[in-house]
Coordinates of all heavy atoms in Angstrom, one line a residue:
M243 N 39.0 -29.6 32.6 CA 37.8 -28.8 33.1 C 36.7 -29.0 32.1 O 36.9 -29.0 30.9 CB 38.2 -27.4 33.2 CG 37.1 -26.5 33.6 SD 37.6 -24.8 33.9 CE 36.1 -24.1 34.2
G244 N 35.5 -29.4 32.6 CA 34.4 -29.6 31.8 C 33.9 -28.3 31.1 O 34.0 -27.2 31.7
N245 N 33.4 -28.5 29.9 CA 32.9 -27.3 29.2 C 31.4 -27.2 29.4 O 30.6 -28.0 28.9 CB 33.1 -27.6 27.7 CG 32.6 -26.4 26.8 OD1 31.9 -25.5 27.3 ND2 33.0 -26.4 25.5
P246 N 31.0 -26.2 30.2 CA 29.5 -26.0 30.5 C 28.7 -25.8 29.3 O 27.5 -26.1 29.4 CB 29.5 -24.8 31.5 CG 30.8 -24.1 31.2 CD 31.8 -25.1 30.8
W247 N 29.2 -25.3 28.2 CA 28.4 -25.0 27.1 C 28.0 -26.2 26.3 O 27.1 -26.2 25.5 CB 29.1 -24.0 26.1 CG 29.4 -22.7 26.8 CD1 30.6 -22.3 27.2 CD2 28.5 -21.7 27.3 NE1 30.5 -21.1 27.9 CE2 29.2 -20.7 27.9 CE3 27.1 -21.6 27.3 CZ2 28.6 -19.6 28.5 CZ3 26.5 -20.5 27.8 CH2 27.2 -19.5 28.4
T248 N 28.7 -27.3 26.6 CA 28.4 -28.6 26.0 C 27.8 -29.6 27.0 O 27.6 -30.7 26.7 CB 29.6 -29.3 25.3 OG1 30.6 -29.5 26.3 CG2 30.2 -28.4 24.2
G249 N 27.5 -29.1 28.2 CA 26.9 -29.9 29.2 C 27.8 -30.7 30.1 O 27.4 -31.5 30.8
E250 N 29.1 -30.4 29.9 CA 30.1 -31.2 30.7 C 30.3 -30.7 32.1 O 30.1 -29.5 32.3 CB 31.5 -31.1 30.0 CG 31.5 -31.9 28.6 CD 32.9 -31.7 27.9 OE1 33.7 -30.9 28.3 OE2 33.0 -32.4 26.9
V251 N 30.6 -31.6 33.0 CA 30.9 -31.3 34.4 C 32.2 -32.0 34.7 O 32.3 -33.2 34.4 CB 29.8 -31.7 35.3 CG1 30.2 -31.5 36.8 CG2 28.5 -31.0 35.0
A252 N 33.2 -31.3 35.3 CA 34.4 -32.0 35.7 C 34.2 -32.6 37.1 O 33.7 -32.0 38.0 CB 35.6 -31.0 35.7
V253 N 34.7 -33.9 37.2 CA 34.6 -34.6 38.4 C 36.0 -35.2 38.6 O 36.6 -35.8 37.7 CB 33.6 -35.8 38.4 CG1 33.7 -36.6 39.7 CG2 32.2 -35.2 38.2
V254 N 36.6 -34.9 39.8 CA 37.9 -35.4 40.1 C 37.8 -36.7 40.9 O 37.2 -36.7 42.0 CB 38.8 -34.3 40.9 CG1 40.1 -34.9 41.2 CG2 38.9 -33.1 40.0
I255 N 38.4 -37.8 40.4 CA 38.3 -39.1 41.0 C 39.7 -39.6 41.2 O 40.5 -39.7 40.2 CB 37.5 -40.1 40.2 CG1 36.1 -39.6 40.0 CG2 37.5 -41.5 40.8 CD1 35.3 -40.3 39.0
D256 N 40.1 -39.8 42.5 CA 41.4 -40.3 42.8 C 42.5 -39.3 42.2 O 43.5 -39.8 41.7 CB 41.7 -41.7 42.3 CG 40.9 -42.7 43.1 OD1 40.6 -42.4 44.3 OD2 40.6 -43.8 42.6
G257 N 42.2 -38.0 42.3 CA 43.1 -37.0 41.8 C 43.2 -36.8 40.3 O 43.9 -35.9 39.9
V258 N 42.4 -37.5 39.6 CA 42.3 -37.3 38.1 C 41.0 -36.7 37.7 O 39.9 -37.2 38.1 CB 42.5 -38.7 37.4 CG1 42.4 -38.5 35.9 CG2 43.8 -39.3 37.8
S259 N 41.1 -35.6 36.9 CA 39.9 -34.9 36.4 C 39.3 -35.7 35.2 O 40.0 -36.1 34.3 CB 40.2 -33.5 36.1 OG 39.0 -32.8 35.7
H260 N 38.0 -35.9 35.3 CA 37.2 -36.5 34.2 C 36.1 -35.6 33.8 O 35.4 -35.0 34.6 CB 36.6 -37.8 34.7 CG 37.5 -38.8 35.2 ND1 38.0 -39.8 34.3 CD2 38.1 -39.1 36.4 CE1 38.9 -40.6 35.0 NE2 38.9 -40.2 36.2
D261 N 35.9 -35.4 32.5 CA 34.8 -34.6 31.9 C 33.6 -35.6 31.8 O 33.7 -36.6 31.1 CB 35.2 -34.0 30.6 CG 36.2 -32.9 30.7 OD1 36.3 -32.3 31.8 OD2 36.9 -32.7 29.7
C262 N 32.6 -35.2 32.5 CA 31.3 -36.0 32.5 C 30.3 -35.3 31.7 O 30.2 -34.1 31.7 CB 30.8 -36.2 34.0 SG 32.0 -37.0 35.0
K263 N 29.4 -36.1 31.1 CA 28.4 -35.5 30.3 C 27.2 -36.5 30.1 O 27.5 -37.7 29.8 CB 28.9 -35.2 28.9 CG 27.9 -34.5 28.0 CD 28.6 -34.1 26.6 CE 27.6 -33.4 25.8 NZ 28.3 -32.9 24.6
L264 N 26.0 -36.1 30.4 CA 24.9 -36.9 30.2 C 24.3 -36.9 28.8 O 23.5 -36.2 28.4 CB 23.7 -36.5 31.2 CG 24.1 -36.8 32.7 CD1 23.0 -36.3 33.6 CD2 24.4 -38.3 33.0
T265 N 25.0 -37.7 28.0 CA 24.6 -37.9 26.6 C 23.2 -38.7 26.5 O 22.8 -39.2 27.6 CB 25.6 -38.7 25.8 OG1 25.7 -40.0 26.4 CG2 27.0 -38.0 25.8
L266 N 22.6 -38.8 25.4 CA 21.4 -39.5 25.3 C 21.6 -41.0 25.7 O 20.8 -41.6 26.4 CB 20.8 -39.4 23.8 CG 19.5 -40.1 23.6 CD1 18.4 -39.6 24.6 CD2 19.1 -39.9 22.2
G267 N 22.7 -41.5 25.2 CA 23.0 -42.9 25.6 C 23.3 -43.1 27.1 O 22.8 -44.0 27.7
A268 N 24.0 -42.1 27.7 CA 24.2 -42.1 29.2 C 22.9 -42.0 29.9 O 22.6 -42.6 31.0 CB 25.1 -41.0 29.6
L269 N 22.0 -41.1 29.4 CA 20.6 -41.0 30.1 C 19.8 -42.3 30.0 O 19.2 -42.6 30.9 CB 19.9 -39.8 29.4 CG 20.4 -38.4 29.8 CD1 19.8 -37.4 28.9 CD2 20.2 -38.1 31.2
A270 N 19.9 -42.9 28.8 CA 19.2 -44.2 28.7 C 19.8 -45.2 29.6 O 19.0 -46.0 30.3 CB 19.3 -44.7 27.2
E271 N 21.1 -45.3 29.8 CA 21.7 -46.2 30.7 C 21.3 -45.9 32.2 O 21.1 -46.7 33.0 CB 23.2 -46.1 30.6 CG 24.0 -47.1 31.4 CD 25.5 -47.0 31.2 OE1 25.9 -46.9 30.0 OE2 26.2 -47.0 32.2
L272 N 21.3 -44.6 32.5 CA 20.9 -44.1 33.8 C 19.4 -44.6 34.1 O 19.2 -45.1 35.2 CB 21.0 -42.6 33.9 CG 20.5 -41.9 35.1 CD1 21.2 -42.4 36.4 CD2 20.7 -40.4 35.0
E273 N 18.5 -44.4 33.1 CA 17.1 -44.8 33.3 C 17.0 -46.3 33.6 O 16.3 -46.8 34.4 CB 16.3 -44.4 32.1 CG 14.8 -44.3 32.4 CD 14.1 -43.6 31.3 OE1 14.5 -43.7 30.1 OE2 13.1 -42.9 31.6
A274 N 17.8 -47.1 32.8 CA 17.8 -48.5 33.0 C 18.4 -48.9 34.3 O 17.9 -49.8 35.0 CB 18.6 -49.2 31.8
T275 N 19.4 -48.2 34.8 CA 20.0 -48.5 36.0 C 19.1 -48.3 37.2 O 19.0 -49.0 38.1 CB 21.3 -47.7 36.2 OG1 22.2 -48.0 35.2 CG2 21.9 -47.9 37.6
L276 N 18.3 -47.2 37.1 CA 17.4 -46.8 38.2 C 16.2 -47.8 38.3 O 15.7 -48.0 39.3 CB 16.9 -45.4 38.0 CG 18.0 -44.3 38.1 CD1 17.4 -43.0 37.8 CD2 18.6 -44.3 39.5
G277 N 15.9 -48.4 37.1 CA 14.9 -49.5 37.1 C 13.4 -49.0 37.2 O 12.6 -49.6 36.6
E278 N 13.2 -48.1 38.0 CA 11.8 -47.6 38.2 C 11.7 -46.1 38.2 O 12.7 -45.4 38.5 CB 11.2 -48.2 39.5 CG 11.9 -47.7 40.7 CD 11.3 -48.3 42.0 OE1 11.3 -49.5 42.1 OE2 10.8 -47.5 42.8
G279 N 10.6 -45.6 37.8 CA 10.4 -44.2 37.7 C 11.1 -43.7 36.4 O 11.6 -44.4 35.6
S280 N 11.0 -42.4 36.3 CA 11.6 -41.8 35.1 C 12.7 -40.8 35.4 O 12.9 -40.5 36.6 CB 10.4 -41.0 34.4 OG 10.0 -39.9 35.2
L281 N 13.3 -40.3 34.4 CA 14.3 -39.2 34.7 C 13.7 -38.0 35.3 O 14.3 -37.4 36.1 CB 15.0 -38.9 33.4 CG 15.9 -40.0 32.8 CD1 16.5 -39.5 31.5 CD2 17.0 -40.3 33.7
V282 N 12.4 -37.7 35.0 CA 11.8 -36.6 35.6 C 11.6 -36.8 37.1 O 11.8 -35.9 38.0 CB 10.4 -36.3 35.0 CG1 9.6 -35.3 35.7 CG2 10.6 -35.9 33.5
D283 N 11.3 -38.1 37.5 CA 11.2 -38.4 39.0 C 12.6 -38.2 39.6 O 12.7 -37.7 40.7 CB 10.8 -39.9 39.1 CG 9.4 -40.2 38.7 OD1 8.6 -39.2 38.7 OD2 9.1 -41.3 38.3
L284 N 13.7 -38.6 38.9 CA 15.0 -38.4 39.5 C 15.3 -36.9 39.7 O 15.8 -36.5 40.7 CB 16.0 -39.1 38.5 CG 17.5 -38.9 38.9 CD1 17.8 -39.6 40.2 CD2 18.4 -39.3 37.8
I285 N 15.0 -36.1 38.7 CA 15.2 -34.7 38.8 C 14.4 -34.1 39.9 O 15.0 -33.3 40.7 CB 14.9 -34.0 37.4 CG1 15.9 -34.4 36.3 CG2 14.9 -32.5 37.6 CD1 15.5 -34.1 34.9
R286 N 13.2 -34.5 40.1 CA 12.4 -34.0 41.2 C 13.1 -34.4 42.5 O 13.0 -33.6 43.5 CB 11.0 -34.6 41.1 CG 10.1 -34.0 40.1 CD 8.7 -34.4 40.2 NE 7.9 -33.8 39.1 CZ 7.2 -34.5 38.3 NH1 7.0 -35.8 38.4 NH2 6.5 -33.9 37.3
R287 N 13.6 -35.6 42.6 CA 14.3 -36.0 43.9 C 15.5 -35.1 44.2 O 15.7 -34.6 45.3 CB 14.7 -37.4 43.8 CG 13.6 -38.4 43.9 CD 14.1 -39.8 44.3 NE 14.9 -40.5 43.3 CZ 14.5 -41.2 42.2 NH1 13.3 -41.3 42.0 NH2 15.4 -41.7 41.5
F288 N 16.2 -34.7 43.1 CA 17.4 -33.8 43.3 C 16.9 -32.4 43.7 O 17.4 -31.8 44.5 CB 18.3 -33.8 42.0 CG 19.3 -34.8 42.1 CD1 19.1 -36.1 41.6 CD2 20.6 -34.5 42.6 CE1 20.1 -37.1 41.6 CE2 21.6 -35.5 42.6 CZ 21.4 -36.8 42.1
E289 N 15.8 -32.0 43.0 CA 15.3 -30.6 43.3 C 14.8 -30.5 44.7 O 14.9 -29.5 45.4 CB 14.2 -30.2 42.3 CG 14.7 -29.9 40.9 CD 13.6 -29.7 39.9 OE1 12.4 -30.0 40.2 OE2 13.9 -29.0 38.9
G290 N 14.2 -31.6 45.2 CA 13.7 -31.6 46.6 C 14.6 -32.1 47.6 O 14.2 -32.3 48.8
A291 N 15.9 -32.3 47.3 CA 16.9 -32.8 48.2 C 16.5 -34.2 48.8 O 16.8 -34.4 49.9 CB 17.3 -31.8 49.2
A292 N 15.8 -35.0 48.0 CA 15.3 -36.3 48.5 C 16.0 -37.4 47.7 O 15.5 -38.5 47.6 CB 13.8 -36.4 48.3
F293 N 17.2 -37.1 47.2 CA 17.9 -38.1 46.4 C 18.7 -39.1 47.4 O 18.9 -38.7 48.5 CB 18.9 -37.5 45.4 CG 19.8 -36.5 46.1 CD1 21.0 -36.9 46.6 CD2 19.5 -35.1 46.2 CE1 21.9 -36.0 47.2 CE2 20.3 -34.2 46.8 CZ 21.5 -34.7 47.3
S294 N 19.0 -40.2 46.8 CA 19.8 -41.2 47.6 C 21.2 -41.3 47.1 O 21.6 -40.8 46.1 CB 19.1 -42.6 47.5 OG 19.3 -43.1 46.2
G295 N 22.0 -42.0 47.9 CA 23.4 -42.2 47.5 C 23.4 -43.0 46.2 O 24.3 -42.8 45.3
T296 N 22.5 -43.9 46.0 CA 22.3 -44.7 44.8 C 22.0 -43.8 43.6 O 22.6 -44.0 42.5 CB 21.2 -45.8 44.9 OG1 21.6 -46.6 46.1 CG2 21.1 -46.6 43.7
D297 N 21.2 -42.8 43.8 CA 20.9 -41.8 42.8 C 22.1 -41.1 42.3 O 22.4 -41.0 41.1 CB 19.8 -40.8 43.2 CG 18.4 -41.4 43.4 OD1 18.1 -42.4 42.8 OD2 17.7 -40.8 44.2
V298 N 22.9 -40.6 43.3 CA 24.1 -39.9 43.0 C 25.1 -40.7 42.3 O 25.6 -40.3 41.2 CB 24.8 -39.3 44.3 CG1 26.1 -38.7 44.0 CG2 23.8 -38.3 45.0
L299 N 25.3 -41.9 42.8 CA 26.3 -42.8 42.1 C 25.8 -43.1 40.7 O 26.7 -43.1 39.8 CB 26.4 -44.1 42.9 CG 27.4 -45.2 42.4 CD1 28.8 -44.6 42.4 CD2 27.4 -46.4 43.2
A300 N 24.6 -43.4 40.5 CA 24.1 -43.7 39.1 C 24.3 -42.5 38.2 O 24.7 -42.7 37.0 CB 22.6 -44.1 39.2
V301 N 24.0 -41.3 38.6 CA 24.2 -40.1 37.8 C 25.7 -39.9 37.5 O 26.1 -39.7 36.3 CB 23.6 -38.9 38.4 CG1 23.9 -37.6 37.5 CG2 22.1 -39.0 38.5
V302 N 26.5 -40.1 38.5 CA 28.0 -39.9 38.3 C 28.5 -40.9 37.3 O 29.3 -40.6 36.3 CB 28.8 -39.9 39.6 CG1 30.3 -39.9 39.3 CG2 28.4 -38.7 40.4
V303 N 28.1 -42.2 37.5 CA 28.6 -43.2 36.5 C 28.1 -43.0 35.1 O 28.9 -43.0 34.2 CB 28.1 -44.6 37.0 CG1 28.3 -45.7 35.9 CG2 28.9 -45.0 38.3
A304 N 26.8 -42.6 35.0 CA 26.3 -42.3 33.6 C 27.0 -41.1 33.0 O 27.4 -41.2 31.8 CB 24.8 -42.0 33.7
G305 N 27.3 -40.1 33.8 CA 28.0 -38.9 33.3 C 29.5 -39.3 32.9 O 30.0 -38.8 31.8
L306 N 30.1 -40.1 33.7 CA 31.5 -40.5 33.3 C 31.4 -41.3 32.0 O 32.3 -41.2 31.2 CB 32.0 -41.4 34.5 CG 32.5 -40.7 35.7 CD1 32.7 -41.6 36.9 CD2 33.8 -40.0 35.4
R307 N 30.5 -42.2 31.9 CA 30.4 -43.1 30.7 C 30.1 -42.2 29.5 O 30.6 -42.4 28.4 CB 29.4 -44.2 30.9 CG 29.8 -45.1 32.1 CD 29.4 -46.4 32.2 NE 29.0 -47.2 31.1 CZ 29.9 -48.0 30.4 NH1 31.2 -48.0 30.7 NH2 29.4 -48.7 29.4
G308 N 29.2 -41.2 29.7 CA 28.9 -40.2 28.6 C 30.2 -39.5 28.2 O 30.3 -39.0 27.0
G309 N 31.1 -39.3 29.1 CA 32.4 -38.7 28.8 C 33.5 -39.6 28.3 O 34.6 -39.2 28.1
G310 N 33.1 -40.9 28.1 CA 34.1 -41.8 27.5 C 34.7 -42.8 28.5 O 35.5 -43.6 28.1
W311 N 34.4 -42.7 29.7 CA 35.0 -43.6 30.8 C 34.4 -45.0 30.6 O 33.2 -45.1 30.3 CB 34.6 -43.0 32.1 CG 35.2 -43.7 33.3 CD1 36.5 -43.7 33.7 CD2 34.4 -44.4 34.4 NE1 36.6 -44.3 34.9 CE2 35.3 -44.8 35.3 CE3 33.1 -44.7 34.5 CZ2 35.0 -45.4 36.5 CZ3 32.7 -45.3 35.7 CH2 33.6 -45.7 36.6
N312 N 35.2 -46.0 30.8 CA 34.7 -47.4 30.6 C 34.5 -48.2 31.9 O 34.4 -49.4 31.8 CB 35.7 -48.2 29.7 CG 35.7 -47.6 28.3 OD1 34.6 -47.4 27.7 ND2 36.8 -47.4 27.7
G313 N 34.5 -47.5 33.0 CA 34.4 -48.2 34.3 C 32.9 -48.5 34.6 O 32.0 -48.3 33.8
T314 N 32.8 -49.0 35.8 CA 31.4 -49.4 36.4 C 31.2 -48.7 37.7 O 32.2 -48.2 38.3 CB 31.3 -50.9 36.5 OG1 32.2 -51.3 37.5 CG2 31.6 -51.6 35.2
A315 N 30.0 -48.8 38.3 CA 29.8 -48.3 39.6 C 30.7 -49.0 40.6 O 31.1 -48.3 41.6 CB 28.3 -48.5 39.9
A316 N 31.0 -50.2 40.5 CA 31.8 -50.9 41.4 C 33.2 -50.3 41.5 O 33.8 -50.3 42.5 CB 31.9 -52.4 41.0
D317 N 33.7 -49.7 40.4 CA 35.0 -49.1 40.3 C 35.0 -47.8 41.2 O 36.1 -47.4 41.7 CB 35.4 -48.7 38.9 CG 35.5 -49.9 38.0 OD1 36.0 -50.9 38.5 OD2 35.2 -49.7 36.8
L318 N 33.9 -47.2 41.5 CA 33.8 -46.0 42.3 C 33.6 -46.3 43.8 O 33.7 -45.4 44.6 CB 32.7 -45.1 41.8 CG 32.9 -44.5 40.4 CD1 31.7 -43.6 40.0 CD2 34.2 -43.8 40.3
M319 N 33.3 -47.5 44.2 CA 33.0 -47.9 45.5 C 34.2 -47.5 46.5 O 33.9 -47.2 47.7 CB 32.6 -49.3 45.7 CG 31.4 -49.7 44.9 SD 29.9 -48.7 45.3 CE 29.4 -49.5 46.8
T320 N 35.4 -47.6 46.0 CA 36.5 -47.3 46.9 C 37.3 -46.1 46.4 O 38.3 -45.7 46.9 CB 37.5 -48.5 47.0 OG1 37.9 -48.9 45.7 CG2 36.8 -49.7 47.7
A321 N 36.8 -45.4 45.4 CA 37.5 -44.3 44.8 C 37.2 -43.0 45.7 O 36.2 -42.9 46.4 CB 37.0 -44.0 43.4
E322 N 38.1 -42.1 45.6 CA 38.0 -40.8 46.3 C 37.5 -39.8 45.3 O 38.2 -39.4 44.4 CB 39.3 -40.4 46.9 CG 39.3 -39.1 47.6 CD 38.5 -39.1 48.9 OE1 38.4 -40.1 49.6 OE2 37.9 -38.1 49.2
I323 N 36.3 -39.3 45.5 CA 35.7 -38.3 44.7 C 35.9 -36.9 45.4 O 35.6 -36.8 46.6 CB 34.2 -38.5 44.4 CG1 34.1 -39.8 43.6 CG2 33.6 -37.3 43.6 CD1 32.6 -40.2 43.4
A324 N 36.5 -36.0 44.7 CA 36.8 -34.7 45.3 C 35.5 -34.1 45.9 O 34.5 -34.1 45.2 CB 37.4 -33.7 44.2
G325 N 35.6 -33.6 47.1 CA 34.4 -33.0 47.8 C 33.6 -34.1 48.5 O 32.6 -33.7 49.1
G326 N 34.0 -35.4 48.4 CA 33.3 -36.4 49.1 C 31.9 -36.6 48.6 O 31.5 -36.2 47.4
P327 N 31.0 -37.1 49.4 CA 29.6 -37.3 49.0 C 28.9 -36.0 48.6 O 28.1 -36.0 47.6 CB 28.9 -37.9 50.3 CG 30.0 -38.5 51.0 CD 31.2 -37.6 50.8
V328 N 29.2 -34.9 49.3 CA 28.6 -33.6 48.9 C 29.1 -33.2 47.5 O 28.3 -32.7 46.7 CB 28.8 -32.6 50.0 CG1 28.4 -31.2 49.5 CG2 28.2 -32.9 51.3
G329 N 30.3 -33.3 47.3 CA 30.9 -33.0 46.0 C 30.3 -33.8 44.9 O 30.0 -33.3 43.8
A330 N 30.1 -35.1 45.1 CA 29.5 -36.0 44.1 C 28.1 -35.6 43.9 O 27.6 -35.6 42.7 CB 29.6 -37.5 44.6
A331 N 27.3 -35.3 44.9 CA 25.9 -34.9 44.8 C 25.8 -33.6 44.0 O 24.9 -33.4 43.1 CB 25.3 -34.8 46.1
K332 N 26.7 -32.6 44.3 CA 26.7 -31.4 43.5 C 27.0 -31.6 42.0 O 26.3 -31.0 41.2 CB 27.7 -30.4 44.1 CG 27.3 -29.8 45.4 CD 28.3 -28.8 46.0 CE 27.9 -28.2 47.3 NZ 28.9 -27.2 47.8
A333 N 28.0 -32.5 41.8 CA 28.3 -32.8 40.4 C 27.2 -33.4 39.7 O 26.8 -33.1 38.5 CB 29.6 -33.6 40.3
A334 N 26.5 -34.4 40.4 CA 25.4 -35.1 39.8 C 24.2 -34.1 39.4 O 23.6 -34.1 38.4 CB 24.9 -36.2 40.7
A335 N 23.9 -33.2 40.4 CA 22.9 -32.2 40.2 C 23.2 -31.3 39.0 O 22.3 -31.0 38.2 CB 22.6 -31.4 41.5
L336 N 24.5 -30.9 38.9 CA 24.9 -30.0 37.8 C 24.8 -30.7 36.5 O 24.4 -30.1 35.5 CB 26.3 -29.5 38.1 CG 26.8 -28.4 37.2 CD1 25.9 -27.2 37.2 CD2 28.2 -28.0 37.7
M337 N 25.2 -32.0 36.5 CA 25.0 -32.8 35.2 C 23.6 -32.8 34.8 O 23.3 -32.6 33.6 CB 25.6 -34.2 35.4 CG 27.0 -34.4 35.3 SD 27.5 -36.1 35.5 CE 28.4 -36.1 37.0
L338 N 22.7 -33.1 35.7 CA 21.3 -33.1 35.3 C 20.8 -31.8 34.8 O 20.1 -31.7 33.8 CB 20.4 -33.6 36.5 CG 20.5 -35.1 36.9 CD1 19.9 -35.3 38.2 CD2 19.9 -35.9 35.8
A339 N 21.2 -30.7 35.5 CA 20.8 -29.4 35.1 C 21.3 -29.0 33.7 O 20.5 -28.5 32.9 CB 21.3 -28.4 36.1
R340 N 22.5 -29.4 33.5 CA 23.1 -29.0 32.2 C 22.5 -29.9 31.1 O 22.4 -29.4 29.9 CB 24.6 -29.1 32.2 CG 25.2 -28.0 33.0 CD 26.7 -28.0 33.0 NE 27.2 -26.8 33.7 CZ 28.5 -26.7 34.1 NH1 29.4 -27.6 33.8 NH2 28.9 -25.7 34.8
A341 N 22.2 -31.1 31.4 CA 21.6 -32.0 30.3 C 20.3 -31.5 29.9 O 19.9 -31.7 28.7 CB 21.5 -33.4 30.9
F342 N 19.5 -30.9 30.8 CA 18.2 -30.5 30.4 C 18.0 -29.0 30.3 O 16.8 -28.5 30.3 CB 17.2 -31.1 31.4 CG 17.1 -32.6 31.3 CD1 17.8 -33.4 32.2 CD2 16.4 -33.2 30.3 CE1 17.8 -34.8 32.1 CE2 16.4 -34.6 30.2 CZ 17.1 -35.4 31.1
A343 N 19.0 -28.2 30.3 CA 18.9 -26.8 30.2 C 18.6 -26.4 28.8 O 19.1 -27.0 27.8 CB 20.3 -26.1 30.6
A344 N 17.7 -25.5 28.7 CA 17.3 -24.9 27.4 C 18.4 -24.0 26.8 O 19.0 -23.2 27.6 CB 16.0 -24.1 27.4
P345 N 18.8 -24.2 25.6 CA 19.9 -23.3 25.0 C 19.4 -21.9 25.0 O 18.2 -21.6 24.8 CB 20.1 -23.8 23.6 CG 19.0 -24.8 23.3 CD 18.3 -25.1 24.6
E346 N 20.4 -21.0 25.2 CA 20.0 -19.6 25.3 C 20.2 -18.9 23.9 O 20.9 -19.3 23.1 CB 20.9 -18.9 26.3 CG 20.6 -19.3 27.7 CD 21.4 -18.6 28.7 OE1 21.8 -17.4 28.5 OE2 21.6 -19.1 29.8

């Protein structure tokens, strides 16, 4: 189970739970993967429910890599993510929210 106090989000892939986290390195990789726009643009797309499947996949991969996973986006193309596309989108949105949340 991911630790929300450290920005982690648990994502279950093919029945195995992975702790995902958007570290600075993962965020830089995410920005490079998206190629255009900024992370702020990405967050706006999520806030406005205007994100794409590519956006979701990029955030999930970045979060997995930030959590220590060594796979690639291609590895997830046939994987079963708990909750399906909606579950993946919720996890991606939560990762972004936790990465940029101000500490209390």
Side-chain angles (χ1 to χ4, degrees):
M243 179 173 176
N245 181 348
W247 301 110
T248 62
E250 293 176 350
V251 174
V253 175
V254 177
I255 302 170
D256 291 333
V258 177
S259 183
H260 298 269
D261 290 337
C262 301
K263 184 175 183 174
L264 292 176
T265 61
L266 184 57
L269 288 167
E271 182 177 318
L272 175 59
E273 198 167 35
T275 298
L276 294 173
E278 62 181 61
S280 66
L281 291 175
V282 172
D283 294 331
L284 175 67
I285 292 166
R286 285 188 184 128
R287 288 197 298 274
F288 270 88
E289 288 177 340
F293 54 88
S294 68
T296 301
D297 290 338
V298 172
L299 183 62
V301 174
V302 170
V303 169
L306 284 164
R307 299 202 29 90
W311 185 70
N312 292 317
T314 66
D317 296 323
L318 296 182
M319 297 305 279
T320 59
E322 179 66 32
I323 297 176
V328 172
K332 286 181 179 180
L336 190 54
M337 279 185 246
L338 288 168
R340 288 185 178 166
F342 293 101
E346 294 184 23

